[in-house]
Amino acid sequence: MPMPNVPFPTMGGTQIWTDHRNVAGWRLQHNAVTGHWRLLDPRDIRRAWGERQPCELKLLEATQDLDPAAAPRHVVILLHGLMRSKHSMRGLARRIEACPNPPQVIAFSYASTRFGIAEHAAALRELVEGLPGDPKLQFVGHSMGNIVVRHALADWQANGDSREVLPRVENVVMLGPPNQGAAIARRLSKLGLFEVVTGPGGMQLGPDWQQLVQGLATPPCPFAIIAGDMPALEPYNPLVDGSSDFVVSIEEARLEGASEFHTVPHLHSFLMDQDDVQTLTLRFMGLAEPPKRTE
């Protein structure tokens, strides 16, 4: 029996939804719990629901009249971290969109606690390869989002890059990345509840890191790392070794080959919301901000 397809307002997708396509703000999403698909319009209203093929046909119908010449030439993709949603990147998205001649900003949603890094990376690759035209690309990730990017880059390198994505990736900015795995995940994984809460992705950042890291790439383009450093933070987190942002240590954030490495006095969960972090990010990406008003 076909599912009824009536327009229905949504929250845009949180922990159980993963984006697989994004065309002019229309998003094709997969539900990690039920396995069904849906199509959201740019206002996050559900326009189709059920099997994938009818949703894809509806996406094609909705976007078929788009002028190919209007396809974005520059796209910035933002990736949230573990147990977060695309809404956590909203402040940074707004800052980018306020720049003169701003790029298109896509906040990639993925069900971070439901699948492993490889599955998230596969969805990201599908979304990028499905973008209209051949835009230049930049990635900004928070926490685990950076590991998803690194896995996707490695997959393009190892499995072929028919859409020639890699030559179009200009740079990557990593905010609080667990580039060497996370001691906090290794220690908490000894509690059975940790895997229940964080899923396979959380385990991969901890006890399963050595298997995961073999499938990660160092970005083949300039990349910057911004790590939180709260040396005076009290109480000190005994689950993290050395100076940290309370979740990821400075040493865990490091990755050889980085063009820039900055430390900032902010907590892990709020790095992307801080003015200095956003300024460093935009500067590295080469995005000019509007001049500040003077009274």
Side-chain angles (χ1 to χ4, degrees):
M1 180 178 178
M3 288 187 174
N5 275 311
V6 295
F8 186 81
T10 75
M11 296 295 292
T14 53
Q15 277 303 312
I16 61 174
W17 293 99
T18 295
D19 295 341
H20 285 253
R21 296 289 305 278
N22 189 314
V23 180
W26 289 77
R27 293 190 291 148
L28 178 68
Q29 295 186 317
H30 179 249
N31 189 297
V33 176
T34 66
H36 71 268
W37 296 77
R38 71 179 183 182
L39 178 68
L40 303 185
D41 71 12
R43 295 182 298 161
D44 286 338
I45 295 175
R46 190 186 71 196
R47 296 295 178 177
W49 161 285
E51 298 295 327
R52 176 166 184 164
Q53 185 177 14
C55 292
E56 287 188 321
L57 290 175
K58 185 67 175 179
L59 172 63
L60 180 62
E61 176 187 328
T63 59
Q64 63 182 351
D65 293 331
L66 294 176
D67 183 359
R73 298 182 179 182
H74 181 188
V75 175
V76 174
I77 299 178
L78 309 179
L79 294 95
H80 61 81
L82 180 63
M83 301 178 66
R84 304 296 293 273
S85 75
K86 71 165 190 163
H87 302 299
S88 68
M89 307 299 283
R90 184 179 295 160
L92 179 57
R94 289 172 177 165
R95 183 84 175 262
I96 294 172
E97 290 169 343
C99 293
N101 302 312
Q104 179 185 0
V105 179
I106 292 177
F108 174 63
S109 288
Y110 65 102
S112 64
T113 64
R114 301 288 177 166
F115 295 113
I117 304 295
E119 288 84 359
H120 303 321
L124 175 63
R125 287 187 291 117
E126 185 176 357
L127 182 145
V128 171
E129 291 173 2
L131 293 174
D134 298 300
K136 66 179 183 179
L137 301 163
Q138 294 174 300
F139 293 96
V140 182
H142 175 238
S143 196
M144 192 173 85
N146 297 290
I147 308 306
V148 175
V149 172
R150 290 182 59 193
H151 203 300
L153 295 172
D155 291 342
W156 275 310
Q157 291 173 336
N159 303 326
D161 182 15
S162 60
R163 284 295 313 275
E164 297 186 344
V165 171
L166 292 176
R168 294 188 277 121
V169 179
E170 294 202 331
N171 49 55
V172 176
V173 179
M174 302 180 174
L175 311 180
N179 279 322
Q180 305 301 324
I184 191 172
R186 290 194 300 274
R187 289 162 179 159
L188 289 177
S189 68
K190 297 175 183 178
L191 305 175
L193 186 61
F194 178 79
E195 185 171 7
V196 173
V197 173
T198 67
M203 296 296 286
Q204 286 179 305
L205 297 181
D208 299 336
W209 176 256
Q210 291 306 317
Q211 291 77 30
L212 174 67
V213 72
Q214 298 175 26
L216 304 182
T218 297
C221 60
F223 66 98
I225 296 171
I226 304 175
D229 181 12
M230 301 290 291
L233 186 66
E234 296 290 347
Y236 171 74
N237 188 348
L239 298 174
V240 183
D241 297 324
S243 297
S244 75
D245 58 13
F246 209 65
V247 175
V248 176
S249 75
I250 291 177
E251 293 307 311
E252 289 170 337
R254 295 189 186 278
L255 184 63
E256 186 175 354
S259 304
E260 295 183 13
F261 188 95
H262 303 277
T263 58
V264 292
H266 305 303
L267 290 169
H268 182 81
S269 295
F270 308 108
L271 282 169
M272 58 285 197
D273 296 319
Q274 306 305 315
D275 182 79
D276 54 347
V277 172
Q278 293 178 357
T279 297
L280 285 168
T281 298
L282 268 60
R283 189 195 70 189
F284 185 78
M285 296 169 68
L287 298 177
E289 294 195 80
K292 294 183 178 180
R293 294 181 179 180
T294 56
E295 298 297 335

